[in-house]
């Protein structure tokens, strides 16, 4: 539901003056940052504590000095709501398919201008439940809240390891690239087609989307 997480990390790295690929490498390979991120997303580590760990690692591997204050805000500022994907989700719900948001908490706050209670039927946010993608428990909670079995669900995520985690509990997945390709996979692989919400906002962007669904 947001723009690319990987692109956001690269943009963040460039803006703080390090190798644009460094934040991604630290998040995926550095044991200290990985542990701190898992604890942050699970709700057991404060933002400020995570920022201190990340700043130290960025300074160590990137050279110069990186101040910890506001690092999470700067990362989150590189992620924006994906309006086309939000329209697709609204269309899926309008077609009668129950939808759950499953989100690790790092990007929390990127949906502030989206009415999640209207858009989705259930939300599972890592810091609120003490589990995170790609753990089995996280996906099982989402299925329980939607009152469906895992084999009835489809997981959409732009990170392949999150799809692999869902597959371990019997949920098939789509590695998301764009709303268009995801909609095509939903249709061709699963026979799932979106409808337009019954009372959408009358904007030029919306009418362009409406023509694309005809």
């Amino acid at each position: 539901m947001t723009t690319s997480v990987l692109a956001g990390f690269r943009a963040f790295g460039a803006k703080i003056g390090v190798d644009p690929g460094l934040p991604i490498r630290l998040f995926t390979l550095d044991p200290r940052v990985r542990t701190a991120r898992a604890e942050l997303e699970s709700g057991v580590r404060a933002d400020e504590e995570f920022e201190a760990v990340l700043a130290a690692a960025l300074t160590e591997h990137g050279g110069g000095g990186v101040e910890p204050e506001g690092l999470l805000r700067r990362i989150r500022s590189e992620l924006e709501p994906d309006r086309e994907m939000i329209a697709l989700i609204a269309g899926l719900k309008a077609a009668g398919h129950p939808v759950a948001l499953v989100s690790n908490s790092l990007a929390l706050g990127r949906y502030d201008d989206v009415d999640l209670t209207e858009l989705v039927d259930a939300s599972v946010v890592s810091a609120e439940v003490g589990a995170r993608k790609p753990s089995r428990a996280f996906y099982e909670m989402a299925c329980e809240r939607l009152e469906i079995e895992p084999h009835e669900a489809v997981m959409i995520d732009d990170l392949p390891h999150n799809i692999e985690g869902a597959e371990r509990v019997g949920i098939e997945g789509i590695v998301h690239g764009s709303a268009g390709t995801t909609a095509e996979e939903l249709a061709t692989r699963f026979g799932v087609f979106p409808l337009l919400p019954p009372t959408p906002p009358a904007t030029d962007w919306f009418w362009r989307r409406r023509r694309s669904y005809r």
Side-chain angles (χ1 to χ4, degrees):
M1 285 176 49
T2 67
T3 52
S4 169
V5 172
L6 298 180
F9 280 136
R10 287 192 288 269
F12 163 72
K15 284 189 177 179
I16 63 172
V18 300
D19 173 3
L22 179 59
I24 298 171
R25 293 196 297 274
L26 293 176
F27 270 67
T28 56
L29 300 175
D30 185 281
R32 297 165 299 173
V33 176
R34 288 184 61 180
T35 298
R37 178 187 178 188
E39 293 173 347
L40 171 74
E41 292 178 344
S42 299
V44 297
R45 182 183 286 260
D47 286 6
E48 295 79 7
E49 295 172 338
F50 172 78
E51 288 173 332
V53 173
L54 179 59
L58 289 167
T59 298
E60 178 182 344
H61 295 283
V66 177
E67 292 297 323
E69 185 176 356
L71 281 183
L72 278 173
R73 174 183 50 77
R74 297 181 71 175
I75 292 172
R76 290 166 179 152
S77 72
E78 301 300 335
L79 305 174
E80 295 296 335
D82 182 339
R83 298 298 175 184
E84 291 193 347
M85 193 60 193
I86 290 170
L88 175 59
I89 292 168
L92 292 171
K93 185 177 178 184
H97 303 290
V99 179
L101 168 68
V102 288
S103 178
N104 288 348
S105 302
L106 184 66
L108 205 60
R110 291 296 87 201
Y111 313 120
D112 287 346
D113 60 347
V114 177
D115 186 352
L116 290 179
T117 59
E118 178 68 23
L119 182 65
V120 300
D121 299 284
S123 296
V124 185
V125 178
S126 61
E128 296 175 359
V129 300
R132 58 194 283 272
K133 296 183 289 186
S135 74
R136 295 173 61 96
F138 199 72
Y139 303 114
E140 289 167 349
M141 281 184 224
C143 291
E144 288 172 5
R145 293 186 182 187
L146 289 179
E147 299 182 346
I148 61 173
E149 296 298 323
H151 70 270
E152 299 175 291
V154 178
M155 173 69 178
I156 301 169
D157 199 287
D158 60 352
L159 299 179
H161 68 272
N162 287 336
I163 298 296
E164 292 165 4
E167 289 172 343
R168 287 195 289 271
V169 299
I171 300 173
E172 292 194 68
I174 294 173
V175 179
H176 173 71
S178 70
T181 58
T182 292
E184 183 177 355
E185 281 206 65
L186 284 168
T188 57
R189 288 177 57 193
F190 304 104
V192 172
F193 298 87
L195 295 176
L196 287 172
T199 54
T203 64
D204 290 342
W205 170 83
F206 163 73
W207 291 114
R208 288 196 297 273
R209 291 298 302 167
R210 181 175 186 179
R211 287 194 292 271
S212 73
Y213 280 119
R214 287 178 175 171

